[in-house]
């Protein structure tokens, strides 16, 4: 049984939601049966000033900000479910602001010293007041003993206890929703709550964020569209993260885009290409690319910070993303439909032609517009909105990618209002298509599959360990058996590999003509 304290926390959270008209918002009245409608109207008598303005998603975002770390993280995850709540609601939630007054400098210094296990003066020559505060942690500018400028992130004192208590309340709410709100079961409340809690648990160990920053820095170095500051590993512990100071000015500063010598069109293109290259080429991407996490410097240098949210895509999801973008670009809706069925996102009992028709309804309206008026992220959001009709169950990674894409597009257009998202994306998408879906790539894939098949056959031909040999094998010469089988399998594997290599060379020569 959940502890009584969980119900008390839930009651307090419900009151905050009621006062913002975010629990049973007035916009739902026409959809509610008579009984729940009267309950909603009675609860609305307790609402405050925050309930009078804004859309439901905006009001819920404000209420969740007041609920602290678990509420903010819940809102971030809900904003990835445009397939359930609609694009407008999800977009409003994606604007959640995680801000809080910083705790005292003396407490921050004590936390850093305790986490690193040595006096602060041994590591830092200077440690300044906080430059930003959030619900889980705050950031300080500092200088290492050697003179290197760094940013230090430190968790709030006692935040683990607060998160643990709120997480228990969230699990209790999920149990109640599962039992009493059948309509919520499509969201899978218990699994959803556990996902939120797990994400917070990882954010409470800053060593994971350091590892993510280091991984993304290596990924970004391949193309140079974006950079990440190096991790200062001597300044990393469970409750402390130290990165080299990012050059330039944060995009959240209105003066950042007025800097002399800034090439705004190239900067916007670099942002789009950096995000897509991370996702398509490497399967890992920075999933929180708002203005506050981006620093810019002339002429078009872009540096990302804050690696608490990282998205990952497997080979299947990467292929899905590239093929649907390419299919929409070419208006090849049967191909896009086939991609969905091949990936298993649409159950096999549905009609691919009917799904292609639904895709046409999503895609065709945008092709009468100028390219810069078409949002890639919103196109995906509209695609996800037809999921209920065709029983699609999209992986959370894809929906997180769509949410990040909307954020990236918004930032790119604020950098350069004339930015053409599709023109910026085309080199990265075309490169992936040429590399992964060309005839030569298909031959390479065939060769890998053939080698795997030969290896499997070789393993099957080997007798089980410890098994008694059949009478015929006992009579055969052991040396002949040992010498024959490996040679046969070696020659077979070598032949398949050689043929595959020759076919790949042939296709390359053919394509070069």
């Amino acid at each position: 049984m959940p502890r009584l304290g969980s119900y008390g926390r839930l009651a307090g959270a419900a009151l905050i939601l009621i006062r913002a008209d975010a629990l049973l918002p007035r916009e739902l009245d026409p959809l509610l049966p008579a009984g729940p409608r009267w309950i909603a109207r009675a609860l609305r008598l307790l609402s405050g000033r925050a309930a009078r303005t804004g859309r439901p998603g905006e009001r819920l975002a404000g209420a969740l900000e007041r609920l602290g770390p678990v509420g903010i993280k819940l809102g971030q995850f809900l904003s990835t479910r445009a397939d359930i709540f609609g694009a407008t609601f999800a977009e409003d939630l994606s604007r959640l602001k995680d801000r809080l007054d910083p705790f005292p400098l003396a407490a921050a210094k004590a936390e850093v010293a305790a986490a690193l296990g040595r006096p602060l003066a041994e590591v830092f020559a200077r440690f300044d007041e906080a430059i930003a505060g959030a619900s889980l942690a705050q950031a300080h500018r500092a200088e290492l003993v050697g003179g290197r400028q760094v940013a230090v992130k430190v968790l709030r004192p006692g935040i683990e206890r607060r998160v643990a208590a709120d997480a228990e309340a969230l699990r209790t709410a999920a149990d109640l929703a599962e039992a009493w709100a059948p309509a919520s079961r499509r969201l899978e409340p218990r699994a959803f709550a556990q996902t939120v809690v797990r994400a917070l648990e990882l954010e409470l160990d800053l060593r994971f964020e350091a590892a993510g920053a280091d991984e993304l820095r290596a990924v970004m170095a391949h193309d140079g569209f974006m950079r990440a500051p190096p991790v200062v590993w001597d300044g990393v512990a469970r409750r402390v993260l130290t990165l080299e100071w990012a050059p330039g000015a944060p995009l959240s500063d209105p003066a950042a885009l007025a800097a002399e010598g800034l090439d705004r069109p190239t900067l916007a293109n670099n942002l789009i290409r950096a995000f897509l290259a991370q996702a398509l080429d490497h399967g890992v991407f920075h999933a929180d690319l708002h203005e506050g996490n981006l620093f810019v410097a002339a002429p078009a240098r872009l540096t990302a910070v804050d690696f608490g949210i990282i998205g990952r895509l497997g080979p299947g999801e990467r292929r899905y993303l590239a093929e649907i973008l390419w299919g929409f670009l070419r208006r090849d809706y049967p191909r896009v439909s086939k991609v969905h069925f091949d990936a298993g996102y649409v159950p096999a009992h549905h009609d691919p032609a009917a799904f292609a028709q639904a895709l046409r309804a999503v895609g065709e309206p945008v092709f009468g517009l100028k390219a810069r008026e078409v949002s890639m992220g919103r196109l995906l959001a509209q695609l996800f909105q037809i999921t209920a009709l065709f029983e699609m169950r999209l992986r959370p990674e894809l929906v997180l990618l769509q949410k990040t894409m909307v954020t990236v597009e918004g930032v790119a257009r604020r950098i350069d209002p004339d930015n053409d998202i599709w023109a910026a994306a085309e080199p990265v998408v075309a490169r992936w298509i040429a590399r992964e879906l060309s005839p030569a790539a298909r031959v390479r894939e065939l060769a890998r599959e053939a080698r795997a098949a030969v290896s499997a056959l070789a393993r099957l031909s080997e007798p089980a360990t410890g098994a008694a040999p059949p009478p015929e094998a006992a009579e055969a010469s052991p040396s002949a058996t040992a010498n024959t089988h490996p040679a046969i399998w070696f020659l077979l594997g070598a032949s398949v590999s050689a043929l595959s290599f020759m076919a790949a060379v042939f296709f390359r020569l053919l394509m070069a003509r």
Side-chain angles (χ1 to χ4, degrees), residues 16-41:
I16 290 174
L17 294 171
I18 289 168
R19 290 188 59 77
D21 190 20
L23 187 63
L24 290 170
R26 56 183 177 273
E27 289 82 359
L28 287 181
D29 278 0
L31 305 176
L32 294 175
R37 190 185 311 134
W38 281 108
I39 293 173
R41 289 175 179 172

Side-chain angles (χ1 to χ4, degrees), residues 379-396:
L379 186 71
L380 287 179
Q382 291 172 32
L383 173 62
F384 294 168
Q385 285 177 3
I386 67 174
T387 59
L389 185 60
F390 288 90
E391 301 177 85
M392 285 175 61
R393 297 182 69 85
L394 289 172
R395 293 180 62 86

Side-chain angles (χ1 to χ4, degrees), residues 448-462 489 492-493:
R448 284 194 297 269
E449 292 175 355
R451 285 195 295 269
V454 168
S455 298
L457 286 171
R459 285 193 299 271
L460 286 173
S461 70
E462 296 172 357
W489 294 118
L492 183 56

